[in-house]
Amino acid sequence: MSSKVFYSTMQNKGLQSPLSKITRLLNKCDPKSKYGSKQLVAVKTHFGEYGNTAFLKPVYLRPVIEKLKQLKCNPFLADTNTLYVGMRTNTVDHLHNAFLNGFNYSTFQIPVIIADGLRGENSLDIPVDGELLDHVKIASDIYNADAMVVVSHFKGHELTGIGGAVKNISMGCASRQGKLIMHSTSKPVVHKEKCTSCGLCAANCAADAIVFGPKAEITEACTGCTRCVAVCPESAIGIDWNESSDNTQRKMAEYAKAIHDHFENKIVYLNFITDVAPTCDCFPANDTPVCPDLGFLASTDPVAIDKASFDLVAKHSPDGIDPFGKIYEEIDPIIQLKHAEKIGLGSTSYEIKMVK
Ligand code: SF4
Ligand code: SF4
C-alpha cells in the first residue's frame, strides 16, 4: 500500500513566505491529533558540524515550533552526541556548536537538549524484533519525550548513500553506544602513536577494560560504551569503522523501527531538499549541491518520505540520474529503505500530494 507524501516546491509565484508552506505541510499530517497540551515534544534535527554550511536553515524550524506552541505543547530541540571526535562529541561542545549554528534559546525561546547526556552515557536498551538486532540503544531524553517531530535535511552520505528521515531517527536518536553498534563490529581502538598514557580513559572506564603496556590497550572486558572515545584529550581512541554499508543501513532501519513504533501515531516527518550536499552535515565542510533546492515534504511514513526525496533529487539532477550513485558507486542507499519496508517500518510506494 502506498503512503501519502505532501510536497511543496520552492516555487513561489504569489510571493508568500516559504515558511507558510511548511505550516501547511505540517497541518496535512493532522498535528492536533498527535501533539497535545503540556506534552514534551522533541523536535529532532541535526545542528550541523562547525564549519559546515549546508545543514538545515534554523529559520525553517520556526513554523514547526510555532505550531507546537499553538497546540500548548512544551517543545524542545534535540540532537545526540556523535561517535566521531569533533564539535558534537560531548554536550558542552555540542551546545556551543548549536548556538553558533543558530539553534539556540535566543532564536526559538525553547530549550536545546543533547539527549544522550554529557558524554553520551544516557542510553536505554529497547527491544526490537529485527533481523540483525534484538535490542537497540536509544538516547534517553528522546525516548522519554511524549512525541516527536523529525525535521531532516535530505542530503548525500559517504557511508549510507543518503541521509534523511530514516537516518535521523536511527543514527540521530541512538546513544553513542548505539551508533557504535551500527557502525562497527568491534570495540574502539587505541591509536598508540597519539596516546600519552595519561590514564584518563582508564579512570573513566566502568568496565575496567583499559590496561597499560605502557600505552593504553582495550581488553576483551570492553562493553563498547565508547566513553573513552569522548574523554581522551588526544583523540587517541577511535572507532574501527568496519561495518559494511549494507549492514549499517539494515541496522539503521531496525533502530528507526524501534523509535517509530515507540512514538506510534505521535510522530511526523518533514524533509527539506535544500542545499543537497553530497556529504553528511557531520562534515566540517561541504561541497556544491547536487541539485537545485526542490522544496519541503511531510509525511507520517519515514520510508515513503525518504524514497520520495530520493526520487525528486534524481529527477532534478542535471542529467536526471541519481547523483549519489555517481559519487558513491559502491553504495546502494535504497537498502535502508527496502529493509525498513521489509520489517514493517513503512512503504517505498508513495503518492505525492502537492501543497501550494
Ligand atoms: S585518555 Fe587517551 S591519551 Fe590518555 S591514556 Fe587514554 S588513550 Fe592514552
Ligand atoms: S568503550 Fe567503554 S568499556 Fe570499552 S574501553 Fe572504552 S570506556 Fe571502557
Side-chain angles (χ1 to χ4, degrees):
M1 205 176 77
S2 64
S3 295
K4 280 185 194 149
V5 176
F6 300 98
Y7 175 43
S8 249
T9 67
M10 295 301 278
Q11 284 179 342
N12 200 354
K13 296 206 170 84
L15 289 183
Q16 295 175 57
S17 165
L19 302 184
S20 60
K21 294 185 172 198
I22 298 168
T23 304
R24 284 197 287 279
L25 284 167
L26 190 53
N27 285 342
K28 291 287 179 190
C29 296
D30 193 15
K32 269 190 196 163
S33 73
K34 295 176 171 60
Y35 308 113
S37 174
K38 299 200 173 142
Q39 283 184 348
L40 302 179
V41 181
V43 179
K44 173 65 186 74
T45 192
H46 185 310
F47 303 145
E49 184 63 34
Y50 185 76
N52 187 293
T53 60
F55 60 87
L56 193 80
K57 280 192 176 84
V59 69
Y60 288 151
L61 293 175
R62 201 195 306 149
V64 177
I65 291 161
E66 280 172 1
K67 172 58 68 181
L68 293 171
K69 285 183 176 173
Q70 222 178 58
L71 294 171
K72 311 256 183 273
C73 303
N74 277 341
F76 62 95
L77 289 183
D79 201 357
T80 56
N81 287 314
T82 58
L83 193 51
Y84 65 86
V85 177
M87 271 291 276
R88 297 163 61 242
T89 309
N90 65 65
T91 290
V92 175
D93 289 341
H94 202 157
L95 285 174
H96 274 304
N97 183 68
F99 183 89
L100 292 172
N101 281 351
F103 300 92
N104 54 61
Y105 190 87
S106 318
T107 309
F108 298 113
Q109 291 83 53
I110 65 169
V112 180
I113 291 180
I114 307 302
D116 57 339
L118 199 58
R119 289 192 172 95
E121 57 280 79
N122 295 351
S123 178
L124 294 174
D125 280 15
I126 310 299
V128 67
D129 187 16
E131 288 184 0
L132 300 172
L133 305 169
D134 58 13
H135 71 283
V136 294
K137 292 175 183 291
I138 302 295
S140 56
D141 288 348
I142 286 196
Y143 191 80
N144 287 321
D146 298 316
M148 185 148 73
V149 184
V150 181
V151 186
S152 308
H153 173 223
F154 190 80
K155 70 273 174 190
H157 195 280
E158 49 290 351
L159 177 64
T160 57
I162 55 169
V166 169
K167 186 147 195 306
N168 200 357
I169 56 165
S170 54
M171 210 59 89
C173 290
S175 62
R176 180 178 282 117
Q177 230 178 333
K179 290 180 174 88
L180 176 72
I181 290 165
M182 284 183 269
H183 274 301
S184 179
T185 55
S186 57
K187 313 297 183 203
V189 284
V190 179
H191 302 297
K192 295 201 171 160
E193 69 287 358
K194 290 185 179 173
C195 175
T196 59
S197 305
C198 71
L200 254 183
C201 53
N204 279 278
C205 176
D208 283 335
I210 300 180
V211 295
F212 287 86
K215 301 290 175 110
E217 283 172 29
I218 295 177
T219 68
E220 284 306 305
C222 173
T223 60
C225 74
T226 70
R227 187 172 171 81
C228 53
V229 178
V231 299
C232 175
E234 308 297 333
S235 303
I237 306 184
I239 304 302
D240 185 0
W241 308 91
N242 67 347
E243 187 56 288
S244 68
S245 173
D246 292 13
N247 266 357
T248 295
Q249 290 190 57
R250 288 192 178 95
K251 288 179 186 173
M252 271 169 42
E254 296 185 7
Y255 265 74
K257 174 100 167 44
I259 282 285
H260 183 83
D261 288 356
H262 171 62
F263 286 107
E264 289 186 299
N265 59 348
K266 292 188 167 294
I267 189 163
V268 167
Y269 301 90
L270 290 168
N271 273 13
F272 289 74
I273 311 182
T274 54
D275 289 319
V276 184
T279 49
C280 178
D281 298 339
C282 294
F283 260 95
N286 46 282
D287 204 347
T288 47
V290 299
C291 67
D293 287 356
L294 299 175
F296 321 124
L297 298 90
S299 183
T300 53
D301 181 336
V303 182
I305 197 171
D306 276 0
K307 184 62 167 55
S309 302
F310 177 83
D311 291 345
L312 279 167
V313 169
K315 187 173 159 196
H316 290 91
S317 66
D319 51 11
I321 298 171
D322 157 31
F324 307 120
K326 283 192 281 181
I327 300 166
Y328 307 114
E329 286 177 4
E330 312 285 307
I331 299 172
D332 176 5
I334 302 304
I335 286 174
Q336 60 190 276
L337 304 182
K338 284 282 180 203
H339 189 63
E341 183 171 49
K342 188 177 173 198
I343 60 175
L345 173 57
S347 170
T348 55
S349 304
Y350 58 88
E351 190 187 346
I352 290 275
K353 299 276 184 191
M354 296 304 296
V355 174
K356 286 192 178 168

